[in-house]
Amino acid sequence: MKVQKTIYRKSFSLIIAFLVLITVTLIIAVFISYKLTEKYVENEFASKKIEVLEQTIKPYNDFFQIRIPEITSYQGFLDSASAANYSATVFKDYPFVSKVLFYDIQIGDSTVVERSGDDVGISVKAVYQYKPKRGSVYGEKDMSAANNDDFRQMALKLSSFIRVADTTRLPTQDEIFRTFYDVKPDKIIYQNIPRREDIKIYRSLLKNKHSAAFYKQNMLTFMLDPKNLKLSNSHPELYQDVTIQPVVYDPLDIEGEKKVTEVALPGAFSNYKLYFSTTREHLRREINRRFLPIGAIVLLIYFFLVLISWLIYRNLSTNLKVFKLQYDFINNFTHEFKTPVSVIKIAGSNLRGDAELSDRQRKHYGKILDEEADKLNELMNKLLSFTQLENRSIHIKREEIDLHAFAKRYMDTFKIKYPDFKMELKVDHVSTFYSDPVLLGSIFQNLMENAYKYSHPGKKELNINIKQERKHIVFSFADKGIGMARNEQGDVFKKFYRIENQYNQNGSVGLGLAFCKELVNFMDGEISVVSKINEGSTFVVNLPLES
């Protein structure tokens, strides 16, 4: 029977077409991913400016939300000295505050003050001006601002609030902001927030303008310089240059290789904006930096696809080899069956013939029939046992085994069968073992048969060593046979695999070692082999010790 040569066709044109396809796909994927990265960086250039803005104005927000409301804690009792100390801490922590005006205000009798707030009963007693000077504060009295528009406006707002305020509840944040704050370009005006009890008193004082009693109130005006804001460029990879410019700033001579964007500053800095600029080359470097890992992933996918295609190609080649192994198995298996069947048929024909047979001839033919039937039975039992092991349809029957007697019994059997087979046994520090004697015996029989079969005439020797290693029993079968190449040692335990040599020309179907491996695996053990050509092989079986 001739093996067909068209079972698997190796189409190199198909392989080349596949490689071309995935290469073109790689190029397209690289191009698209680069364009997407470029678009992503450009979007970040337009959006990340908000983060830079938030970092830059964070001190301003802290100043506005935390430091300014501290004035209320003085409840109107700030004087020139304490106002100077307060201004000193403000100048130190917030360099963008260039000047502080402190208004010492009183509510009630206005006859003791120099100027009044439009006859609303809220008057200025004194005004002090503070400026930073060499790490300290320079302060002076400046009554020129005693009745300016800022004071009159805040006095009117406070007077209106006192008249209509609901003293049964705390004022809302919106009421506080509308009454006690006045945010203008480069300026923040704030007056301390009176308590509800104070508002009741203020209301009575405003109704009785001729009362001699009065209460103190404070107002501070903070002059701001946005040029002193500390810029915090948290994204230097996107923005090369960040500056504070007036809102109307719009240069006409922007270089073509530059990319710009801007964002307005909030609150008292509303007349200014953050102006961002960077060169296109700088953005290009950032795009390339971010694209590098993406490109590496695309290349990795490409090589993965190439690897998959190679594995598919190798799998086809392996399948071809498996087909050949199975074909050889059928041939050998057929031969193994055909020979005993032919012998049985001849013996049966002679026994059925008309000629008279002597007792010696009948015994001879009977022996032949018995031996050939045993061969067939042994082969069928091995195949059946193999199938049962693979399907896990048999069960381990554990018994106490005397290892020395067990191994000796098999050695004696083989000495009778093969008188030229030299065997030695060594059992170290272990006497009994709980296992299935039938399964263990099959392992012994197959490995001993294998050692005899694959040894040169005159060198048929086998050393069996049994020892205990921790919680395992180790069986070692070392022969001085023909050995095997390193690249074949991993395949000898596969079904139908046969090493190509003169010892495998007839009578082997490639099931012996595969059957041993299945047995050992079924018994929760391991089997391995170490071999050198023309020096011999050592099979090691490691089984768990059951107590």
Side-chain angles (χ1 to χ4, degrees), residues 384-429:
L384 179 61
S385 299
F386 209 123
T387 303
Q388 290 176 334
L389 284 172
E390 288 182 328
N391 296 330
R392 295 295 192 264
S393 59
I394 62 176
H395 302 282
I396 297 178
K397 298 179 181 179
R398 302 190 186 279
E399 298 179 11
E400 185 177 12
I401 301 173
D402 186 326
L403 289 173
H404 188 276
F406 180 83
K408 190 68 175 174
R409 184 167 64 252
Y410 276 92
M411 291 173 65
D412 293 340
T413 301
F414 268 79
K415 285 181 180 179
I416 295 173
K417 187 176 181 181
Y418 306 117
D420 59 338
F421 199 10
K422 297 179 181 179
M423 291 175 285
E424 292 185 3
L425 173 64
K426 183 179 180 181
V427 181
D428 290 337
H429 302 99

Side-chain angles (χ1 to χ4, degrees), residues 47 116 145 231 256 350 375 390 453:
S47 62
S116 64
L231 292 171
N350 291 334
K375 289 181 181 180
E390 288 182 328
K453 180 178 179 180

Side-chain angles (χ1 to χ4, degrees), residues 120-302:
V120 295
I122 302 175
S123 308
V124 178
K125 183 177 181 181
V127 180
Y128 295 91
Q129 176 179 275
Y130 302 102
K131 294 181 180 179
K133 184 178 181 180
R134 298 178 182 178
S136 60
V137 175
Y138 169 74
E140 61 179 354
K141 192 173 184 179
D142 183 11
M143 296 302 296
S144 62
N147 201 28
N148 60 14
D149 291 339
D150 292 339
F151 168 69
R152 286 199 300 270
Q153 185 177 2
M154 295 300 290
L156 286 171
K157 289 165 67 174
L158 178 60
S159 178
S160 298
F161 178 78
I162 291 172
R163 287 188 176 94
V164 301
D166 184 358
T167 57
T168 62
R169 61 174 177 82
L170 292 173
T172 65
Q173 290 297 320
D174 182 62
E175 291 172 338
I176 291 173
F177 185 78
R178 284 189 288 105
T179 304
F180 301 99
Y181 285 89
D182 190 10
V183 180
K184 299 179 178 179
D186 305 330
K187 183 191 302 184
I188 298 176
I189 306 169
Y190 178 83
Q191 55 185 337
N192 70 277
I193 306 170
R195 297 170 296 186
R196 285 181 289 176
E197 294 79 4
D198 295 335
I199 292 175
K200 294 178 183 178
I201 297 172
Y202 294 169
R203 184 177 295 170
S204 63
L205 288 175
L206 291 177
K207 289 180 179 179
N208 184 13
K209 295 185 178 180
H210 300 288
S211 172
F214 65 89
Y215 283 82
K216 292 175 64 65
Q217 183 78 357
N218 298 139
M219 186 180 89
L220 282 88
T221 299
F222 301 91
M223 310 301 295
L224 309 180
D225 184 3
K227 296 291 185 181
N228 291 331
L229 273 175
K230 184 179 179 181
L231 292 171
S232 179
N233 186 5
S234 56
H235 292 283
E237 74 280 3
L238 297 174
Y239 311 111
Q240 279 184 301
D241 189 26
V242 182
T243 57
I244 297 176
Q245 302 291 347
V247 172
V248 296
Y249 177 77
D250 188 16
L252 300 177
D253 57 343
I254 299 176
E255 299 179 12
E257 291 300 316
K258 277 195 173 183
K259 191 173 179 65
V260 300
T261 188
E262 58 189 34
V263 60
L265 290 171
F269 300 137
S270 57
N271 283 345
Y272 292 85
K273 64 183 177 181
L274 288 182
Y275 187 79
F276 304 84
S277 65
T278 188
T279 62
R280 295 188 181 276
E281 180 61 28
H282 182 75
L283 280 183
R284 186 69 57 193
R285 287 195 296 268
E286 178 62 14
I287 292 170
N288 293 337
R289 185 185 70 82
R290 298 194 185 188
F291 173 72
L292 186 61
I294 299 175
I297 292 173
V298 172
L299 285 176
L300 184 62
I301 294 173
Y302 172 77

Side-chain angles (χ1 to χ4, degrees), residues 98 241 249 251 308 312 352 355 366 486 511 537:
S98 60
D241 189 26
Y249 177 77
I308 292 297
I312 292 173
R352 195 178 54 183
R486 182 185 295 272
L511 284 178
S537 303

